Amino acid sequence: MRASCVMRGSPIERICIVGGGTAGWMTAAALSNRLKGLPVAIRLIESSEIGTVGVGEATLPHIRAFNTTLGISEPELMRATQATFKLGIEFRDWGRIGDRYIHPFGDFGPVVDGVPFYHHWLRLRALGDTTRLDDYSYPVVAAEQNRFRHPSTDIGAVESTFGYAYQFDASLYAAFLRRYAEALGVERLEGKVVETALHPQSGHVERVTLADGRTIAADLFVDCSGFRGLLIEGALASGYDDWRRWLPCNRAVAVPTGSAGPLGPYTRATARTAGWQWRIPLQHRVGNGHVYCSDFISDEDATRQLVENLDAPMQAEPRQLRFTTGRRRDFWKKNVVAIGLAGGFLEPLESTSIHLIQDGITELLALFPDTGFDPVEIGEYNRRMSLHYERVRDFLLLHYVATQRDDSEMWRHFRALTLPDSLAEKIEAWTTRAYVVPYEFGLFLPPSWVAVMMGQNLMPRGHDPRVGRTDDTALRTRAQAIRSGVTRAVAGTPDHADYIRRSAAAASLAA
Ligand code: FAD
């Protein structure tokens, strides 16, 4: 039997979002937009004394759909958040020291005779061809040359074969969305939540109390309080699935620097002995950080490694963050939905955190409750969000296990690891015949898996047998034409920094 403190099935009239980081303001903006015109009051509580996590710069292309739904203008957003464009991520030293590859937001070549091009490339390679798979990808070659343009709307053009995202200051993004949400009527309350009252029978959160004594009651609470999970864990003890056995990195040290060199339309992730280092160029600065595992390196050495590998002077003191990789057992429990770091955390190797916030919001809107809080809908939400997180976990872990490195304790640790079945099956299908098993609710589509597996030298033994249908000479001619098309298209693509200056520069870059 379902227990509820209010009449079952009446519409939600009061929503309280606890937390005003990126998750809180993305949620507030989306709910205020999608519930516009309905008698729903949305309040957001945040504490400037506690502050936000204050990092988070690289995004995925899906964020554009989020912004478009809200009616946000791209140039305005880019100016407000110091954003640059992002075509993918460059990985250095992951397969072997000295290797580099780009995981692009796009495919490698077109489908030829019904088969993805990389299978044909494998065949060409077996015939002695030495061209790079990368040379068939417009976003890879454009990124390598620091060039960018928006995708063409002509679906026949090479310049239409990619997506793009942003590299921006997530705190400025939150501030931008705050202005948006407040204009749509979201009420912001400054204060620190010190107490949570539960309904004695249902166990639902009834109200929260702030340090100054104010109480805020609501039908639905969205917990965006960051790692602490004030409501979902603090009040409702959801529990946490700890994934450190697979992803043991548990700390990061972050530092901004000035800009150096050309403005790359890509994020960089360089593997280190006990983790990896990020470099994310924005218009006004570069974000840098070292994600590492404290079992394998001290904080001092991790900071030293970061500082020694910066390419421009630091603009602040390095700042340390701690985390535990994993996710809440229940993202949604009773009348509380946890979004953002309150729901879980996976290291930012593939820029997935803000995307997982977006997933949390999208699924909440799809399964938006009434005050009955149907357990079937809650169960479905938790099922979907668990899958979103697990898919990302597997993809991140792939980077650590598809490697030939064994030069440090961390890399040897990964050699001996028992993989989750879901990832082991995926790797097996790949190594057997270059097949990427697609799945439900997977963020990363086959081209992403191909990029990482090929990029890290996990070469398949076979390929799709259908490629044998294509005549070898015809295949070589076709491959040459695809490469030339990419080369030509990239040559006609503007320089990334110039392109931003013309369309969306903040004062720092316009100067
Ligand atoms: P927070 O930013 O921690 O916000 C929590 C909010 O809750 C704050 O407003 C705080 O004041 C409030 N709060 C907490 N307790 C109380 C209380 N008692 N009373 C009132 N208010 C309270 N993501 C990406 O997509 N790309 C990246 O490149 C990326 N890099 C990252 C690097 C690192 C090292 C880390 C740790 C994270 C990174 N992320 C990245 C993740 C990204 O920073 C977060 O997902 C995102 O900022 C969302 O954070 P949040 O809003 O959930 O939490």
Side-chain angles (χ1 to χ4, degrees):
M1 194 179 83
R2 284 186 277 158
S4 177
C5 54
V6 285
M7 194 176 73
R8 182 174 305 159
S10 55
I12 298 282
E13 290 175 353
R14 299 165 305 169
I15 300 174
C16 176
I17 299 166
V18 176
T22 314
W25 285 113
M26 281 180 75
T27 306
L31 293 185
S32 60
N33 173 283
R34 300 299 289 278
L35 303 178
K36 207 165 26 189
L38 295 174
V40 185
I42 305 174
R43 295 169 130 186
L44 182 147
I45 306 169
E46 67 177 316
S47 159
S48 43
E49 182 194 325
I50 294 176
T52 63
V53 68
V55 279
E57 289 152 338
T59 65
L60 293 175
H62 314 65
I63 197 168
R64 285 165 36 224
F66 182 85
N67 294 335
T68 302
T69 306
L70 300 189
I72 290 172
S73 129
E74 180 175 87
E76 199 187 327
L77 173 91
M78 290 191 66
R79 273 189 283 273
T81 60
Q82 300 280 354
T84 57
F85 292 108
K86 176 181 173 192
L87 288 171
I89 304 179
E90 182 194 44
F91 290 90
R92 288 190 176 182
D93 299 339
W94 282 85
R96 287 180 294 247
I97 293 174
D99 283 359
R100 59 167 293 283
Y101 69 94
I102 289 180
H103 165 196
F105 299 139
D107 213 338
F108 296 92
V111 170
V112 173
D113 294 338
V115 181
F117 181 77
Y118 71 88
H119 285 281
H120 297 280
W121 178 84
L122 285 166
R123 178 168 166 77
L124 284 173
R125 192 170 168 269
L127 295 172
D129 187 291
T130 55
T131 54
R132 303 183 312 158
L133 183 61
D134 288 350
D135 292 335
Y136 300 88
S137 163
Y138 171 83
V140 171
V141 180
E144 288 174 338
Q145 297 184 24
N146 301 311
R147 294 170 188 257
F148 182 84
R149 55 160 289 172
H150 282 92
S152 166
T153 49
D154 171 4
I155 56 163
V158 176
E159 296 94 327
S160 72
T161 59
F162 70 102
Y164 71 94
Y166 310 108
Q167 303 168 130
F168 63 24
D169 182 328
S171 305
L172 294 177
Y173 184 52
F176 182 87
L177 293 179
R178 172 181 164 186
R179 292 192 289 279
Y180 177 97
E182 286 186 318
L184 286 183
V186 172
E187 184 188 356
R188 174 185 178 274
L189 303 171
E190 168 65 39
K192 187 170 166 183
V193 173
V194 289
E195 211 178 293
T196 307
L198 304 185
H199 187 273
Q201 274 86 47
S202 68
H204 284 210
V205 173
E206 278 194 321
R207 62 185 178 280
V208 293
T209 305
L210 305 186
D212 62 7
R214 280 176 294 170
T215 60
I216 290 93
D219 306 317
L220 171 68
F221 285 86
V222 187
D223 186 349
C224 296
S225 64
F227 288 128
R228 50 179 62 77
L230 201 65
L231 305 183
I232 198 73
E233 199 58 54
L236 297 182
S238 161
Y240 197 74
D241 265 349
D242 181 335
W243 287 343
R244 271 177 302 184
R245 67 187 174 286
W246 291 309
L247 294 170
C249 286
N250 58 353
R251 293 188 190 174
V253 57
V255 70
T257 60
S259 305
L263 187 66
Y266 59 90
T267 291
R268 179 179 299 152
T270 306
R272 301 268 177 240
T273 51
W276 59 276
Q277 181 169 336
W278 80 76
R279 182 185 186 282
I280 307 175
L282 313 187
Q283 291 191 33
H284 62 320
R285 63 168 166 80
V286 173
N288 305 272
H290 183 186
V291 171
Y292 60 96
C293 174
S294 60
D295 292 347
F296 303 124
I297 193 170
S298 68
D299 294 336
E300 295 70 32
D301 286 346
T303 305
R304 191 174 319 117
Q305 258 192 26
L306 171 67
V307 171
E308 282 171 359
N309 286 292
L310 297 173
D311 55 13
M314 295 193 292
Q315 293 183 334
E317 282 305 304
R319 196 165 66 88
Q320 203 203 47
L321 299 114
R322 296 180 177 211
F323 50 83
T324 303
T325 300
R327 64 161 173 87
R328 293 286 164 221
R329 297 237 161 84
D330 292 318
F331 294 90
W332 183 340
K333 190 167 181 184
K334 310 276 186 186
N335 63 336
V336 173
V337 180
I339 294 181
L341 300 176
F345 183 65
L346 293 163
E347 59 182 78
L349 183 58
E350 285 280 359
S351 323
T352 45
S353 287
I354 292 173
H355 178 78
L356 288 167
I357 294 172
Q358 189 179 338
D359 281 339
I361 295 168
T362 305
E363 302 296 4
L364 173 59
L365 284 165
L367 295 162
F368 198 74
D370 57 30
T371 55
F373 289 101
D374 189 332
V376 174
E377 287 163 9
I378 295 176
E380 177 61 11
Y381 183 90
N382 286 326
R383 185 184 80 85
R384 292 185 191 182
M385 289 308 296
S386 302
L387 281 175
H388 287 305
Y389 273 73
E390 280 163 29
R391 306 307 197 207
V392 172
R393 176 201 67 196
D394 284 1
F395 191 60
L396 298 186
L397 181 51
L398 174 71
H399 298 66
Y400 287 101
V401 296
T403 177
Q404 298 74 60
R405 285 191 67 164
D406 61 359
D407 53 285
S408 69
E409 215 182 321
M410 182 189 80
W411 294 108
R412 289 190 288 277
H413 162 86
F414 283 109
R415 290 241 153 162
L417 198 68
T418 305
L419 302 185
D421 290 345
S422 45
L423 177 58
E425 285 158 15
K426 202 116 180 169
I427 291 177
E428 172 65 18
W430 169 257
T431 46
T432 312
R433 53 164 284 181
Y435 182 59
V436 182
V437 183
Y439 44 31
E440 189 198 13
F441 294 115
L443 162 59
F444 292 103
L445 299 175
S448 294
W449 287 80
V450 171
V452 176
M453 293 193 282
M454 295 278 203
Q456 298 193 192
N457 316 310
L458 185 67
M459 299 309 287
R461 290 189 292 275
H463 50 65
D464 192 312
R466 289 174 296 168
V467 298
R469 281 192 317 224
T470 311
D471 169 74
D472 292 347
T473 310
L475 180 58
R476 284 198 180 91
T477 308
R478 184 74 197 270
Q480 170 63 44
I482 297 169
R483 283 200 313 279
S484 304
V486 168
T487 308
R488 251 193 327 273
V490 172
T493 300
D495 174 75
H496 178 217
D498 287 345
Y499 194 74
I500 295 178
R501 270 189 205 101
R502 285 206 300 272
S503 58
S508 54
L509 193 74

